[in-house]
Amino acid sequence: MRRCLIVLVLLSLLICGCSGQREKSSSGYQKVRLVMTANGTEIGIESLTAKRFAQLVAEESGGNVQIEFYPNDELTGGNTNEAVKSLTEGAVDLGAYVGGTLSLLDPRLEVASIPWSFASYQEARKVIDESGGAYYSKVLNDYGLVYLASTHNGMRQLANNRNPVSKLEDLQGMRIRVLGGEVYRHFFNELDAEPIPLGWSELNIAIRQGAIQGQDNGFFLMRSGHLNEIQKYMTVLNYLYENYLFVANRKSFDRLEPKTQQLIRDKMRAACEWSRDYLEDEERQIRQKFIRNGLEIIDLSPEEMARIKQKVRPLREKLIEKYGAEACAAFRINGEKTYRENDGK
C-alpha cells in the first residue's frame, strides 16, 4: 500500500510538473514547476543549496519557474536507490546526490573520492570547476542525466562510541557505517575495520541501538544529523573529499525553453558557490562547538597519519588503475598525491 501511494505521488508530480504549463509572464520565462529530490535532512548542505537555488530561480523568473523540493528522499519513502531510479526515469526533474550514491549508476562517478586526492576545499573547487565537471557531465549523460553543478559535502572524518582512535590499531574490528560506494568500504577494510553500508535514514537509530559503533561523516553533516550528540569520539582524518552533484533528468531538461535551461544552470552554479563558502565557514566554528559540548576530538600525529596512508596506498593505486587515465586526469589525481598533507581547508 505504501509503495502504491509513493507511485501515485510521483505520477501526479510528473503530470503537473515540467511538462505542465507553458505560458509566459512579463519576465519572459515559461510557467513551469520542477520537482527536486535529495536524501539529506532539511538542514543538510544539499537541502540548503536546493532552497537557495529555488529562491534565486523564483526571483529571476518573477515566480514563473518554481522548484518544489523534497528532502529525505520523501518521494520514495526514504529509499535512496529508488530515488535515483526515479530521477533517471524522469519521475522527478532534479536531484542532488553524492558521487558515492550515484556510483550505483556508474563506479566512475566516485573518482573524486579516491583517498587524499585533494589537499583542501579550494583545490577541490578549482579542479571540479575547471575539468572534473566536464567529466561528470560526460558520464551522467549516458544515464539520461544533465550535470549542473557541484557543492561540498565535506572532508570525511571518523566518529565512534567504542574508543578514541589515535593510532591505526584502534580501528581494528570497529563496526563503521559507510555509504554504498566501493571507496568507503575498501578504505576501512584496508584498515582492518568492519565497514557496514547503511542508508542515511537508518544511521541515527543504528548508532543508538549499537548495531554500528562509528560513522565517517564530515563536521557539517555530523551537525545536520545531530550525530555529535550520540557519538563520544571524533578523529580528524580528512581522508576523502565528498561532494554533491546537482543533476537534471535529460528529458525534463530538454523540454524547457533555452532561456529557462540557462536560468537553471546559472542559478544552480550560483547556489553551489554560496553553499561552498557557507560550509567552509561553518566547519571552522562547528569543531569548537563540538568540543564545548563534550565531543572528544583527536588529531592524529604525523607519524600515525603516515602509517594509515601507507596502509591505504595499495587501494589508492588500484582505484587509480580501475577508474582509468581519463577520469583521473580530469580530477588531476596521481599516485604522488597520496602523501600530500590534507588540511581540509
Side-chain angles (χ1 to χ4, degrees):
M1 177 61 111
R2 181 185 183 189
R3 184 173 181 82
C4 289
L5 179 59
I6 292 168
V7 171
L8 288 172
V9 171
L10 289 172
L11 285 174
S12 67
L13 290 172
L14 181 60
I15 290 169
C16 60
C18 180
S19 57
Q21 299 177 2
R22 293 291 175 154
E23 304 169 31
K24 292 185 180 180
S25 69
S26 58
S27 68
Y29 287 98
Q30 65 189 108
K31 286 188 177 180
V32 64
R33 179 168 62 90
L34 302 173
V35 177
M36 185 172 186
T37 182
N39 71 323
T41 68
E42 291 189 1
I43 59 172
I45 194 65
E46 78 281 32
S47 294
L48 297 179
T49 307
K51 292 173 185 177
R52 178 81 169 190
F53 165 67
Q55 177 187 358
L56 294 174
V57 166
E59 289 174 354
E60 180 68 22
S61 69
N64 240 30
V65 181
Q66 294 289 327
I67 308 298
E68 190 169 307
F69 176 61
Y70 294 87
N72 296 303
D73 284 328
E74 290 175 2
L75 298 178
T76 52
N79 188 318
T80 299
N81 291 357
E82 285 295 316
V84 172
K85 182 179 178 182
S86 72
L87 182 58
T88 60
E89 293 177 347
V92 293
D93 305 304
L94 302 161
Y97 292 95
V98 294
T101 296
L102 291 175
S103 70
L104 297 168
L105 302 175
D106 194 308
R108 293 174 296 171
L109 293 170
E110 207 172 3
V111 62
S113 298
I114 292 177
W116 289 293
S117 288
F118 298 116
S120 67
Y121 284 132
Q122 291 304 312
E123 183 185 7
R125 292 170 78 146
K126 179 179 174 63
V127 170
I128 291 170
D129 290 347
E130 290 182 355
S131 55
Y135 184 80
Y136 284 141
S137 183
K138 177 181 177 180
V139 175
L140 288 165
N141 186 62
D142 291 340
Y143 300 91
L145 298 175
V146 178
Y147 171 74
L148 299 172
S150 164
T151 194
H152 304 319
N153 191 36
M155 297 285 186
R156 295 185 84 90
Q157 321 301 344
L158 172 69
N160 83 96
N161 285 332
R162 194 184 74 173
N163 55 262
V165 175
S166 58
K167 60 183 183 300
L168 182 59
E169 291 76 13
D170 294 333
L171 282 162
Q172 190 166 15
M174 184 179 290
R175 299 190 304 278
I176 301 172
R177 176 267 180 181
V178 296
L179 278 173
E182 65 173 349
V183 175
Y184 308 85
R185 297 195 311 273
H186 294 328
F187 178 84
F188 285 107
N189 274 329
E190 290 292 320
L191 301 180
D192 300 321
E194 183 183 348
I196 301 173
L198 198 65
W200 173 257
S201 62
E202 305 168 281
L203 177 54
N204 195 293
I205 191 168
I207 293 173
R208 292 180 184 277
Q209 293 179 346
I212 60 171
Q213 297 162 315
Q215 40 82 30
D216 72 326
N217 290 299
F219 283 99
F220 192 95
L221 197 53
M222 280 268 291
R223 186 188 66 176
S224 69
H226 302 286
L227 301 177
N228 57 296
E229 299 171 9
I230 56 174
Q231 299 266 253
K232 297 178 181 178
Y233 315 105
M234 186 174 189
T235 300
V236 178
L237 289 175
N238 288 324
Y239 84 93
L240 182 152
Y241 171 79
E242 186 177 69
N243 58 325
Y244 273 98
L245 307 186
F246 286 80
V247 300
N249 174 269
R250 168 61 69 184
K251 291 180 180 179
S252 295
F253 195 73
D254 286 348
R255 283 195 292 264
L256 299 173
E257 295 177 355
K259 184 177 180 179
T260 306
Q261 290 181 353
Q262 194 59 49
L263 173 73
I264 296 300
R265 289 187 184 277
D266 290 346
K267 299 311 177 184
M268 187 64 83
R269 284 195 293 265
C272 284
E273 281 302 291
W274 169 84
S275 61
R276 285 168 165 178
D277 292 340
Y278 180 76
L279 183 140
E280 290 174 27
D281 291 340
E282 282 293 295
E283 283 203 347
R284 298 185 186 101
Q285 303 175 46
I286 291 171
R287 174 177 173 132
Q288 297 308 314
K289 290 180 181 177
F290 281 0
I291 292 172
R292 288 197 299 270
N293 292 335
L295 184 66
E296 182 179 340
I297 296 183
I298 300 149
D299 292 294
L300 295 176
S301 69
E303 293 77 17
E304 282 303 319
M305 184 64 78
R307 289 183 68 210
I308 291 175
K309 288 185 177 183
Q310 184 64 25
K311 194 88 160 35
V312 174
R313 183 171 185 172
L315 168 63
R316 180 181 167 83
E317 292 173 347
K318 186 184 300 182
L319 291 171
I320 289 173
E321 181 179 2
K322 176 177 180 176
Y323 296 147
E326 181 185 6
C328 291
F331 291 89
R332 303 173 197 173
I333 295 170
N334 59 69
E336 293 303 315
K337 291 176 71 175
T338 302
Y339 296 103
R340 289 187 58 179
E341 192 63 31
N342 186 315
D343 58 17
K345 297 177 182 175

